[in-house]
Amino acid sequence: MTMQTRVFIVHMLPADASRLFARASATNMMTEGYVWIVTDNIGIVLDVLPQDTIDTMLGVVGFRPYVAKSARISGFTARFVTRYRAKFHQDPNVRVARPTIFQYWAYDVVWAIASATEKAINLRSTPRNLVDDPEVSPAGQDLLNSIMDGEFDGLAGRFRFVDRQLPVPAYEIVNVIEEKTRRIGFWSPVSGLSPFLNSSTRPVQDRRRLRADQVLRTVIWPGDSTTVPRGWDFPVNGKILQIAVPVRRDFKFFVNVEAS
């Protein structure tokens, strides 16, 4: 009999995920025994999804790049919230007006381009083509090199390219509970899974609650359960495997059937 899986990993756009979880909830697949894990595409926006979508995602576990709190982020968030609410305050579907790491990355990228452009302008006597036609500008390669070689402390952390990619030093693991997301741990290439990244992410009260071998804080799974699902179940409409055993005296060495 083939076992039916109860573990699902969701990697899609947030709008598509909203429809998926609505269907899963309607078909009782967000109940005890199921495991739903979402990648960072969805994990990043969990705090700003509409409330009706969050209501269908209770018990979901998600990953997203970790961004440490800082005074710069607090100031940026305050400005962002003010402008965002001024524009969308009448929209009843807006749940929380605060930036995500997508906005932090966008801000850092613009800062990197502006800094690289300024540096390229200083190196060239005719910088007009940088704006008019960057692909054919004689300073285009200098601009690209300045962006790739740039390194600074941005809103999302240390901004630098490695093999033309922005590395993510650590991921935050969150659990959707009621109307919010709750941090349950971290993952990083250095330490793997851990309940805390450093002392700043380790509340004093949690130091006594966790076992020495516990790699994550307690997860609330779908169905409001703290029992770790086994990840599979017997099919509801599956056929039972039947095994026929020959009852013969000639092969007692291999099979011996006795009446009970």
Side-chain angles (χ1 to χ4, degrees), residues 63-128:
F63 290 77
R64 59 190 182 190
Y66 172 67
V67 178
K69 294 181 179 179
S70 66
R72 288 187 63 195
I73 285 184
S74 298
F76 177 82
T77 301
R79 298 191 302 272
F80 182 92
V81 167
T82 300
R83 297 184 181 183
Y84 194 81
R85 285 181 175 167
K87 185 174 182 179
F88 298 107
H89 67 285
Q90 295 180 347
D91 188 345
N93 205 34
V94 174
R95 179 168 171 255
V96 177
R98 62 176 178 176
T100 67
I101 194 172
F102 286 135
Q103 283 73 45
Y104 300 152
W105 278 337
Y107 185 92
D108 290 345
V109 167
V110 171
W111 187 278
I113 293 174
S115 300
T117 302
E118 183 178 9
K119 184 182 295 185
I121 288 175
N122 293 333
L123 294 175
R124 295 280 176 170
S125 59
T126 57
R128 182 170 52 87

Side-chain angles (χ1 to χ4, degrees), residues 228-259:
V228 179
R230 58 185 177 182
W232 58 269
D233 203 354
F234 294 103
V236 178
N237 57 353
K239 294 182 179 180
I240 299 177
L241 177 64
Q242 297 180 345
I243 302 177
V245 180
V247 181
R248 298 184 60 178
R249 298 179 181 274
D250 302 340
F251 305 103
K252 283 189 175 182
F253 182 79
F254 298 102
V255 178
N256 185 22
V257 179
E258 297 179 355

Side-chain angles (χ1 to χ4, degrees), residues 161-179:
F161 283 97
V162 177
D163 295 329
R164 300 202 171 198
Q165 299 289 331
L166 285 175
V168 177
Y171 281 87
E172 180 183 26
I173 308 173
V174 296
N175 189 195
V176 180
I177 302 174
E178 297 178 351
E179 299 180 357

Side-chain angles (χ1 to χ4, degrees), residues 124 134 137-147 164:
R124 295 280 176 170
S137 169
Q141 190 60 46
D142 293 334
L143 177 63
L144 178 61
N145 292 339
S146 295
I147 295 175
R164 300 202 171 198

Side-chain angles (χ1 to χ4, degrees), residues 122-254:
N122 293 333
L123 294 175
R124 295 280 176 170
S125 59
T126 57
R128 182 170 52 87
N129 283 340
L130 284 174
V131 177
D132 295 342
D133 195 349
E135 292 185 358
V136 300
S137 169
Q141 190 60 46
D142 293 334
L143 177 63
L144 178 61
N145 292 339
S146 295
I147 295 175
M148 292 294 105
D149 296 338
E151 186 172 354
F152 59 91
D153 289 323
L155 288 177
R158 193 66 182 169
F159 185 95
R160 66 186 181 92
F161 283 97
V162 177
D163 295 329
R164 300 202 171 198
Q165 299 289 331
L166 285 175
V168 177
Y171 281 87
E172 180 183 26
I173 308 173
V174 296
N175 189 195
V176 180
I177 302 174
E178 297 178 351
E179 299 180 357
K180 60 182 180 180
T181 58
R182 169 176 167 266
R183 181 192 298 161
I184 58 174
F186 297 90
W187 180 89
S188 68
V190 176
S191 58
L193 289 173
S194 59
F196 308 106
L197 194 60
N198 48 49
S199 59
S200 65
T201 61
R202 183 183 180 98
V204 176
Q205 62 270 22
D206 280 342
R207 298 178 185 178
R208 298 185 295 270
R209 296 177 183 174
L210 297 179
R211 304 187 310 271
D213 60 343
Q214 191 169 348
V215 296
L216 292 176
R217 299 172 67 186
T218 302
V219 180
I220 307 298
W221 301 101
D224 199 28
S225 173
T226 57
T227 302
V228 179
R230 58 185 177 182
W232 58 269
D233 203 354
F234 294 103
V236 178
N237 57 353
K239 294 182 179 180
I240 299 177
L241 177 64
Q242 297 180 345
I243 302 177
V245 180
V247 181
R248 298 184 60 178
R249 298 179 181 274
D250 302 340
F251 305 103
K252 283 189 175 182
F253 182 79
F254 298 102

